[in-house]
Amino acid sequence: MTLQQLRYLLAIADSGLNITAASERLYTSQPGISKQLKLLEQELKVQLFTRKGKSLVDITPAGSDVIARARKIMLEVQNIRSLASDLSGEEEGTLSIATTHTQARYVLPEIIKNFRDRYPKVNLELHQGTSEQIAELVTNNVVDFAIATGSRNLFPELVLLPGFHWDRIVLVPKNHELARMDGQLNLPMLANYPLVTYVFSLTGESSFKNAFAVQGLEPDVVFTARDADIIKTYVLMGIGVGIVAGLAYEQGDKENFVALSAEDLFPRCTTWIGFRRDSVLRGYMVDFISLFASYLTPELTREAAVLGSQGEIDALFSDITVPTRGGCGQEDV
Amino acid sequence: MTLQQLRYLLAIADSGLNITAASERLYTSQPGISKQLKLLEQELKVQLFTRKGKSLVDITPAGSDVIARARKIMLEVQNIRSLASDLSGEEEGTLSIATTHTQARYVLPEIIKNFRDRYPKVNLELHQGTSEQIAELVTNNVVDFAIATGSRNLFPELVLLPGFHWDRIVLVPKNHELARMDGQLNLPMLANYPLVTYVFSLTGESSFKNAFAVQGLEPDVVFTARDADIIKTYVLMGIGVGIVAGLAYEQGDKENFVALSAEDLFPRCTTWIGFRRDSVLRGYMVDFISLFASYLTPELTREAAVLGSQGEIDALFSDITVPTRGGCGQEDV
DNA sequence: CGCGTTTACGTCGTTCGTAACGATA
DNA sequence: TATCGTTACGAACGACGTAAACGCG
């Protein structure tokens, strides 16, 4: 058994049991992989794949077990490489982040700019997707960090650190009647207007609709989109009243919109950053986290990383004030 | 990085940082190990050991981290080998057990006889030691099973399955006055005699002395030994009254001793069998467990093995009757 | 001077890539 | 016939073992 053989094995499994594809992914020859797989099966005296003719058509039970353990092994190999590279003072490597549109568009740009200045040799990868896609990327170990909001239950085996809180805002065109409104906005008023807001994720749905439901209201959602830019576009067209993350309100929006605080109408949201509990955090990774939320010092992050359960981590943060970002755009850049 | 290199690394660490010793342990040449270590350090760009001249004198922090992860890797490699060998129907391998004297002497012989009949090609290793030594053997992964009594807290990361309960007995020579006693034995009576019993382990001490302490008594322990045979010898010499495991009472003892039940005097003990949660159980291993305690069927064992915490395992056994062995020697062979 | 490690070197085995072949749809 | 996997073969690399040199106590 060789690390190579396990690497090849995983590549085959991750390439849809196509050995040629695996060879291309690994920049090596196809017969080499074929042969190593055969050698591995020979040594273990177990068929790892079922064959139809010469093609691999399925993974045997033994195969899936071996593959699962091979993954664990390769993860530890990666960890050894990471920590060694870190301890030898190298400031290069890859930082892979999976995140949602809002974070990628309104939060991360400045953070990433600072990070690149500090670590010019670190290769940055940014994957944008839904919560479910992020969960998949992070469990498959293709990204180092997940940055998302809500739906913590999608990420059971991650260490989740709260980054900051934020509230929703209500966006209307300047000539809208709500723009001239005096006094406090409330949910019954909002329920009278057609609304434009985010696509409900499987888990996030509750917090928005529930806010109306507890007051016996049914919101009239006429349009949903994945990102605030599209919502703004349609709000500007007069389709409806926009409800977006306060983070999404930018300087230039003042010309077209009036933003009304909705922090009393909907529960406050938390953007957190998560990473696999069993992975080594390189120096630049904890630094990234502190750039992401300055109160998350390297010490605090490493302290949380060694804790066993999310419960303990939450307890660690229970007596720490998590900052709030955004709002009606006054303080957010 | 190679599995070989990691294997060599662990051998060095386990040989007191003596490369020559490591080479002998692995039946290979010493320069080979030297070279691979150098290559590994070169690839990781980290010193894994501190050197004094040419000798290795200590493990660097980086080294201990790498070693820890290498152990995890080699463990998974072993697991892959085990399950593959098992699935390919091989009934050979090694079964390594660490246990105490009482189990090794009075319980295991018959079990092992049956096991050897069933699996003649499996190599059996039996390590005898104190609870602390057993704990060390099992955490260092040199044995597959630990079979012991009490002191469960010494084995936090093991899956512990209750095998059977047993009680202590009081052993006196035939001509002793207690042998002619009518009625029930009690602790105040025992406290009047010099006692001979087991060496108190760090954790087991409480259950024996506490039984006296709660009645405000102080036992007069004149002699302690690791095994019942020695206790019997001294009891026969008239040194004192013996208190041993019921398991230790054999047919031949009837000629010399009178055994009095002590099951109402001391708390009942449980002998359990434990194995590392993260290790693969080969077919012959679960069969051994069912030989050890017939009610521990392969299904039950495998069910317990996948549970996350000892609490869940204990819950699994809460509604199962664990058998009792020994007693005053009537039913024990 | 013994013990342990490193260096040097020759041999052997293994891996890898190219090319040709085979099977399957 | 196109796609994918296996076989065959030669070249290159790497691992291993022996022998000798080096450093340290």
Side-chain angles (χ1 to χ4, degrees), chain B residues 19-20 30 34 38 54:
Chain B
I19 296 185
T20 304
Q30 177 272 322
S34 236
K38 180 169 296 184
K54 295 184 171 181

Side-chain angles (χ1 to χ4, degrees), chain A residues 18-20 30-31 34 38 54:
Chain A
N18 182 324
I19 297 185
T20 306
Q30 178 272 321
S34 235
K38 180 169 297 184
K54 293 186 171 178

Side-chain angles (χ1 to χ4, degrees), chain A residues 47-61:
Chain A
Q47 287 266 98
L48 300 175
F49 300 99
T50 56
R51 271 111 166 144
K52 189 173 178 179
K54 293 186 171 178
S55 298
L56 313 182
V57 294
D58 212 348
I59 304 176
T60 64

